Amino acid sequence: MRPLLWALLPFCAAITLSTYGLAGTLPFLLATLAVPAAALSLVFHGRTRRKLLLVAISWGIGFLWCMGYQQLVCAPAQRFLGEGKAFAATVTAYPKETDYGHSIQVEVHPKDDRAFRALLYLAEGGGNLEPGDQLTGTGNFVDASVRREHTTHIYTAQGIFVLGKKVVLTQVRHTDRDSPRWWLTRASHWLVEQLDCLYSGEAAGILQALTAGDQSGLSDRFRSDLSRTGLSHITAVSGMHLVFFVEFLLLLPGGRRWKSVLALPLLVFFALFTGASPSVVRAAVMEGILLLGNLLLREYDSWTALTVALFVLLAQNPFAIGSIGLQLSFASVVGIRLFMPKRQEREEVPPKWKQWLWRLWQSVALTLSATVFTLPLSVYYFDNISLIAPFANLAVLWCIPLLMGGGFLTGLLAGVALPLAKLLALPISLLANGLTAAIHWFSLRPFAALDGTSPWMRLWLLFTYLLLLLYYLRKPKGWKVAGLFGVSVAALVILVLGYRQTMSSYAMTTQVLDVGQGQCVLFVSQDHAAVVDCGGSGMNSAGDKLGNQLELLGIRELDALILTHYDSDHINGLETLLERTRVTQVIAPTLEADSQDAETVKTLCARYDIPWNQLKRDETLSVGAGRLEIYAPLTEGKSNESGLAVVSTVHYFDVLVTGDMDKATEKKLLKAKPLPDVEVLVAGHHGSSYSTGKELLDATTPEAAVISVGEENSYGHPGQATLDRLKERNIAVYRTDLEGTITIQED
């Protein structure tokens, strides 16, 4: 099978280069290199000639394929961009809820051009749409590959090249719902609905994810638990689930060859049924090649199978290489292939206890091998280093096949015998709830996960990978392997202690954490800490980001958690934080009438028995060597305008936090409170043009401004007017969306 590897790998390399950073005529120039390379191959003979010729041809075809894809698929989408465009489209998937309505995948049909896929955002009228519905309307269509002047592969990896904003539907026709094209999509949705009737809460979400690839039923808290424990892969249908599926089929009675014939079409069905994500397609191709090898009596080569899977994915969409799921899936397989220890065959049969120990070691080695190359990707995409992942995987993976099989069985049975399905659902529900509780327990263990954005933790990762390289080159055994592991653990302990010592040497450290679109400001001095706000929209909960940081600092209790106001992006990490960290008191504005978010804070304070100080007068709070001046609300009304403001002072160094105050409230603050000249201003309302007014800037004369803002936000934050005001006054600007967590330290 190795000739296939030489034929396809250069194609995949060319596709990767074309989609990551090569522009203009450069792909074409690289494609032309195939001609001299093919000519050079004629100098050689035999296998060398064939390999060079295959590489040259595959390399050239890869670049040409990508250029052709750009013209045939991407160009029609680019030509459709614009505001107020009339469109006709076919719905291709069920709608998903967003904060402001629904998003829905469609196939747009321009009048004089090729059709293309798009994602439409509807404020109203999208909840009852189904695959096959014909839509007409108007909307603003923007390039899906560009977000806030940065290239993104989130949508293009799914084959979506256009986003439709401010969409208004003028007509909906239900004319094509029963087409065979939508049968699998509708069947998957039907299974999700059956499971929703049989199960409740997290159990329903887990089973829907395992059987149909639908993760919409998982709560934010459970997603955070999965991320912290390194178990996100169990709810993203992947190769692991497909292997369970195939192994179950192979357990049926009869010969292996006929079961392989049965399994091949079922592999295709399962991949399509669960949404054909890159990880599932990769596994389906590799398992399919393995089964074909059984039928044709051919040797299986995992590297060739992996390359064929990548070729299949990139041939249908070159931009799929940007899929996080694809990268994680392939990285895990490569890690297993390179680092998974092989069992040496022995003539004598070992004792049962040795066989048991070997199986246990194989499970541990499998988890660690799969993590080797996925860990850097997790740090890059999710800022997360899960230390407890190997233990959590060992503890819970055994029950995933049971839940997967039980979900399919009860879901299908619900359509014909609902009472029996409900009876069988009871033990499955108990198992699913037990899994949820176990994952949550693991997530709350100290140092279960570390903040991957910390330079100290990245230094430890670099050191650990150097040890891993040494292991790969030298292949040590026995105590030497344990020694390398011990050296890595010792390095982690030393770096954590060094980080704590460094941070405690400053009179005050202020950190504006990167929590996406939200705010969380940490003040630390002499082993004391206080926090202003705890909310955001990042991949990980703001409570987890803050909890990880406090663990690194060795801080187990907060002197105060100050909430400037009750907007979700300032408080939605509160529950996670309170589960992990003791909080002496919560200081917040007076409870707002009819505010669900404010009621949530009240409920959480009662649950964890935390004093809730609804501030009506200004207060001063000591934090180590510094102090926080907390200013009570100046007005009553909207949440943003009736919030708190905070000034942190240590020696002659001041930091001002104004929450989401607008310019009018900032003026009232200046008149009512003796604000000092500040060194750092945490810009109001995430850099909104309606905050951080010139009066505030002229009165407080900050030297630097920190803007806590997310890459993904629909508000246009930070506003250009705010950036211009800061630039006019020569105020240095630091942004969490561009630079991550911002740390300010005062001696």
Side-chain angles (χ1 to χ4, degrees):
M1 295 179 71
R2 285 300 171 100
L4 201 57
L5 178 69
W6 290 99
L8 300 181
L9 193 57
F11 175 92
C12 297
I15 292 287
T16 303
L17 288 173
S18 294
T19 54
Y20 271 98
L22 298 185
T25 59
L26 190 54
F28 178 77
L29 294 175
L30 289 174
T32 59
L33 290 178
V35 177
L40 181 63
S41 69
L42 300 178
V43 177
F44 299 90
H45 300 279
R47 290 184 178 180
T48 304
R49 173 187 288 184
R50 288 195 297 272
K51 287 180 180 178
L52 285 175
L53 192 59
L54 283 173
V55 168
I57 293 173
S58 177
W59 174 266
I61 291 175
F63 282 109
L64 294 175
W65 186 273
C66 208
M67 287 187 283
Y69 190 89
Q70 290 272 5
Q71 292 301 314
L72 292 175
V73 179
C74 302
Q78 293 293 318
R79 288 191 286 267
F80 200 79
L81 302 181
E83 296 185 0
K85 301 273 291 189
F87 70 90
T90 302
V91 177
T92 59
Y94 283 91
K96 296 182 179 179
E97 286 191 30
T98 67
D99 292 338
Y100 304 101
H102 293 86
S103 67
I104 189 160
Q105 290 188 30
V106 299
E107 187 178 81
V108 178
H109 306 284
K111 288 184 179 179
D112 302 314
D113 217 331
R114 292 175 62 90
F116 59 87
R117 290 177 63 192
L119 186 68
L120 305 183
Y121 290 94
L122 294 86
E124 55 185 27
N128 61 346
L129 295 176
E130 294 185 15
D133 287 348
Q134 305 296 313
L135 311 178
T136 56
T138 60
N140 300 340
F141 290 86
V142 299
D143 189 349
S145 66
V146 179
R147 301 284 290 184
R148 301 180 60 80
E149 302 179 358
H150 298 285
T151 301
T152 178
H153 299 283
I154 295 173
Y155 302 106
T156 55
Q158 305 172 53
I160 296 170
F161 300 98
V162 168
L163 302 179
K165 307 288 186 70
K166 299 181 179 179
V167 173
V168 177
L169 299 181
T170 56
Q171 186 180 37
V172 178
R173 291 179 293 131
H174 311 298
T175 57
D176 196 33
R177 287 185 172 183
D178 296 326
S179 168
R181 179 183 177 186
W182 316 117
W183 283 357
L184 277 179
T185 305
R186 296 176 71 83
S188 179
H189 185 70
W190 176 85
L191 180 61
V192 168
E193 290 182 327
Q194 301 309 307
L195 293 173
D196 208 33
C197 293
L198 292 173
Y199 302 93
S200 60
E202 221 66 80
I206 292 170
L207 293 168
Q208 289 165 354
L210 289 176
T211 57
D214 185 345
Q215 299 186 44
S216 60
L218 300 176
S219 68
D220 291 339
R221 172 184 146 173
F222 187 60
R223 290 174 190 271
S224 177
D225 289 346
L226 290 171
S227 175
R228 186 166 167 75
T229 54
L231 289 169
S232 296
H233 63 96
I234 69 172
T235 56
V237 176
S238 63
M240 177 185 71
H241 304 80
L242 200 140
V243 168
F244 292 152
F245 182 73
V246 171
E247 290 300 320
F248 173 76
L249 292 175
L250 295 180
L251 289 175
L252 296 174
R256 190 177 181 88
R257 296 192 70 183
W258 86 262
K259 287 185 287 189
S260 296
V261 173
L262 174 66
L264 282 169
L266 290 177
L267 277 178
V268 177
F269 171 82
F270 184 74
L272 295 175
F273 184 81
T274 55
S277 67
S279 57
V280 173
V281 173
R282 187 273 306 162
V285 172
M286 293 187 71
E287 286 291 323
I289 291 174
L290 177 61
L291 294 172
L292 280 173
N294 292 333
L295 291 172
L296 303 176
L297 303 179
R298 296 291 300 273
E299 183 182 352
Y300 176 74
D301 180 69
S302 57
W303 289 116
T304 301
L306 190 64
T307 304
V308 172
L310 186 59
F311 169 79
V312 169
L313 285 163
L314 298 187
Q316 59 88 26
N317 177 16
F319 293 94
I321 193 66
S323 165
I324 299 175
L326 179 146
Q327 294 173 15
L328 289 171
S329 178
F330 277 82
S332 65
V333 174
V334 171
I336 292 170
R337 181 66 179 80
L338 290 176
F339 290 95
M340 185 69 181
K342 305 293 189 298
R343 184 171 187 174
Q344 296 181 353
E345 295 296 332
R346 297 180 180 179
E347 294 183 2
E348 71 278 4
V349 178
K352 289 290 185 182
W353 67 270
K354 282 191 175 182
Q355 294 181 36
W356 184 85
L357 282 177
W358 172 256
R359 292 192 188 98
L360 179 62
W361 165 239
Q362 285 287 91
S363 299
V364 174
L366 180 65
T367 301
L368 294 176
S369 300
T371 306
V372 169
F373 296 117
T374 58
L375 182 57
L377 290 173
S378 296
V379 172
Y380 179 76
Y381 287 117
F382 311 119
D383 301 333
N384 199 46
I385 303 173
S386 179
L387 299 182
I388 208 167
F391 308 100
N393 275 271
L394 281 175
V396 307
L397 285 186
W398 63 270
C399 70
I400 301 304
L402 298 176
L403 288 173
M404 186 177 169
F408 271 117
L409 178 61
T410 55
L412 295 174
L413 195 58
V416 293
L418 185 59
L420 180 58
K422 288 184 176 180
L423 182 64
L424 291 176
L426 293 176
I428 301 299
S429 181
L430 286 173
L431 183 59
N433 289 324
L435 173 68
T436 304
I439 292 173
H440 186 59
W441 184 86
F442 276 112
S443 75
L444 295 180
R445 297 312 94 203
F447 290 98
L450 299 176
D451 184 4
T453 62
S454 167
W456 294 73
M457 293 304 98
R458 294 195 173 186
L459 179 62
W460 172 70
L461 273 182
L462 176 61
F463 178 74
T464 298
Y465 275 92
L466 290 175
L467 292 177
L468 194 62
L469 178 62
L470 179 63
Y471 166 82
Y472 182 75
L473 295 175
R474 301 295 296 271
K475 298 291 191 300
K477 297 180 180 179
W479 65 268
K480 292 182 179 179
V481 176
L484 290 176
F485 179 77
V487 170
S488 175
V489 172
L492 176 61
V493 173
I494 290 170
L495 285 171
V496 168
L497 293 176
Y499 178 71
R500 290 180 179 180
Q501 181 63 33
T502 301
M503 295 290 280
S504 64
S505 65
Y506 291 93
M508 177 73 80
T509 296
T510 304
Q511 289 189 312
V512 183
L513 302 185
D514 178 15
V515 291
Q517 182 64 20
Q519 181 168 283
C520 184
V521 186
L522 171 63
F523 298 98
V524 180
S525 177
Q526 297 178 351
D527 297 327
H528 289 266
V531 172
V532 176
D533 294 332
C534 185
S537 64
M539 291 279 193
N540 297 322
S541 163
D544 264 336
K545 291 279 289 187
L546 178 56
N548 290 347
Q549 185 61 22
L550 294 173
E551 277 189 352
L552 275 179
L553 293 170
I555 294 173
R556 293 185 171 84
E557 182 173 338
L558 287 174
D559 293 345
L561 171 61
I562 304 162
L563 303 177
T564 57
H565 59 297
Y566 295 107
D567 280 3
S568 176
D569 61 342
H570 290 249
I571 70 162
N572 61 18
L574 189 56
E575 181 175 5
T576 303
L577 175 66
L578 295 182
E579 283 187 321
R580 297 183 54 184
T581 307
R582 291 194 299 272
V583 176
T584 302
Q585 61 175 323
V586 171
I587 301 175
T590 304
L591 183 67
E592 300 171 14
D594 301 323
S595 169
Q596 184 60 49
D597 290 327
E599 288 293 337
T600 298
V601 174
K602 180 181 179 181
T603 301
L604 288 172
C605 287
R607 181 192 304 173
Y608 292 98
D609 195 24
I610 300 171
W612 182 25
N613 180 1
Q614 298 182 62
L615 200 69
K616 297 181 179 179
R617 297 184 181 86
D618 299 349
E619 285 193 10
T620 301
L621 176 71
S622 295
V623 180
R627 70 178 187 277
L628 300 183
E629 297 288 345
I630 309 168
Y631 298 121
L634 299 165
T635 60
E636 295 182 1
K638 291 184 179 180
S639 173
N640 294 354
E641 285 71 54
S642 60
L644 309 180
V646 180
V647 174
S648 163
T649 301
V650 60
H651 303 155
Y652 297 101
F653 191 89
D654 302 289
V655 178
L656 172 61
V657 183
T658 60
D660 281 359
M661 287 183 179
D662 62 10
K663 287 185 280 190
T665 310
E666 290 172 355
K667 291 179 184 178
K668 294 179 180 179
L669 181 67
L670 289 171
K671 291 180 179 179
K673 311 298 179 184
L675 293 183
D677 289 342
V678 302
E679 280 62 45
V680 177
L681 169 67
V682 179
H685 206 170
H686 321 289
S688 164
S689 296
Y690 303 102
S691 297
T692 317
K694 62 180 183 178
E695 291 84 0
L696 180 69
L697 295 176
D698 291 339
T700 59
T701 64
E703 298 173 14
V706 180
I707 302 176
S708 181
V709 65
E711 277 189 61
E712 303 291 329
N713 76 82
S714 58
Y715 312 102
H717 296 161
Q720 189 57 48
T722 295
L723 296 175
D724 290 342
R725 286 193 291 271
L726 296 170
K727 184 177 180 180
E728 288 169 3
R729 292 161 177 79
N730 295 317
I731 299 171
V733 176
Y734 301 91
R735 294 168 49 173
T736 59
D737 61 330
L738 301 180
E739 298 162 82
T741 294
I742 308 298
T743 301
I744 305 124
Q745 294 170 319
E746 171 60 19
D747 293 330

